[in-house]
Each structure stands twice: as C-alpha cells, then as structure tokens.
Amino acid sequence: MTDLETADPLALRTAMTDQLVREGTIRSTQVEAAFRTVPRHAFAPEAELSRAYAAHDAVSTKVNEHGISISSVSAPVVQARMLEQAEIESDMRVCEVGSGGYNAALMAELVGPDGSVVTIDIDPDVTGRARMLLDSAGYSHVRVVLADAENGLPDAGTVVSQVLED
C-alpha cells in the first residue's frame, strides 16, 4: 500500500489542491479556499480515498446495464477550470446543470452564506444522491431540483417535476 492510499482525507485534499495550484488550474484564493474546504470523498463514497482525491480523475457514480458510466463526479481539474472561468463571487445566485453534489458544494463555498446555489438534473437517481450527499456534508442549504434544464428553472416560472428540499 502506498502513502497516498493510507493518508487521511484532509492530507489528500490538501495535496490535490496544492497540485491544482502548482499546475496553474486554481488561480484565485476563493477557488483555492473552496477546494481546501469541501471534502470531495464525501461526494464520491464509491471511490477509494486516493481515487476521490486524484486531481485528474473523474469518479463514476452510475453505470448503465452494459457497465458504461452514465454519471460521474467530474475530475477536480475540470471543476477548478470551470469555477475559475465562472468568476463566482460572494452573494451571487448560481445554478448548476448536472447535479453530482461536489461542484454545488464548491459553489456554495464561493457564494457564501448570503448567496444561493441551485443544482438541477433530469435523473432522479442523480438528484436523490446529490441531496443525500449535500445534506451529509453540511450543505443542506443548496437547492436540488429534479427537472429538465432545457425548460428553464422554477424561479423563471416553468413547471418543475419535483423539488427536493429535504
């Protein structure tokens, strides 16, 4: 067993974040702080700790009947790039389409207590999983919506099949 496999989650999260900073993927102090705060392994319980914190690896969370991955927690490198490009700031209202939970938790850290995050997905397995994991990790204030994002958001007056608040 390697040191990486026996390390604790905080050490692995620190190493992953340090790597993304070194590589220049994480550039802002806000995104860095979010990555240092949110426990990625809490959103990828099906993965070994070393895999959950591998900066360039996605973690498959759902496979179809042929064993092909149809849902995943995106690689941290991808999420860091997207968050840096989005320039999310404190107090903003943000929406994520495609709900795994981890990215929504990162966004919740970025918007702070006076901002809001809505994460939306068409798959009830995905939204149910996101709701459970967000609650378990302390992000129950993130709104999880089961709907087709093509039709807009509930706040825009469109019909949503289900809102999972609790």
Side-chain angles (χ1 to χ4, degrees):
M1 208 173 257
T2 68
D3 289 339
L4 190 62
E5 292 171 330
T6 59
D8 69 274
L10 179 58
L12 291 170
R13 186 166 68 238
T14 299
M16 176 191 75
T17 305
D18 289 347
Q19 177 183 352
L20 293 170
V21 169
R22 265 193 325 275
E23 292 173 354
T25 306
I26 293 178
R27 300 180 315 273
S28 68
T29 57
Q30 297 88 345
V31 172
E32 180 179 349
F35 271 81
R36 292 194 186 284
T37 302
V38 179
R40 182 172 162 82
H41 69 283
F43 296 94
E46 46 285 285
E48 300 267 340
L49 279 176
S50 59
R51 173 100 177 161
Y53 288 103
H56 293 270
D57 291 351
V59 174
S60 179
T61 58
K62 185 176 179 179
V63 296
N64 68 12
E65 66 275 7
H66 305 291
I68 298 169
S69 180
I70 57 173
S71 186
S72 66
V73 178
S74 298
V77 67
V78 172
Q79 291 169 311
R81 279 188 196 124
M82 289 188 303
L83 293 172
E84 288 289 359
Q85 290 173 354
E87 297 179 349
I88 297 170
E89 297 178 6
S90 183
D91 303 339
M92 287 180 121
R93 294 174 52 206
V94 296
C95 176
E96 170 190 40
V97 176
S99 178
Y102 178 63
N103 202 55
L106 291 168
M107 290 188 295
E109 289 294 328
L110 293 171
V111 301
D114 294 325
S116 65
V117 175
V118 175
T119 183
I120 184 171
D121 200 283
I122 196 170
D123 185 333
D125 293 336
V126 172
T127 55
R129 179 182 184 280
R131 175 76 282 149
M132 179 188 65
L133 297 176
L134 285 160
D135 288 348
S136 294
Y139 294 92
S140 58
H141 58 288
V142 171
R143 187 171 171 208
V144 178
V145 178
L146 173 62
D148 187 339
E150 181 178 1
N151 298 321
L153 295 173
D155 298 338
T158 57
V159 176
V160 176
S161 54
Q162 184 176 5
V163 177
L164 305 171
E165 300 284 358
D166 294 290

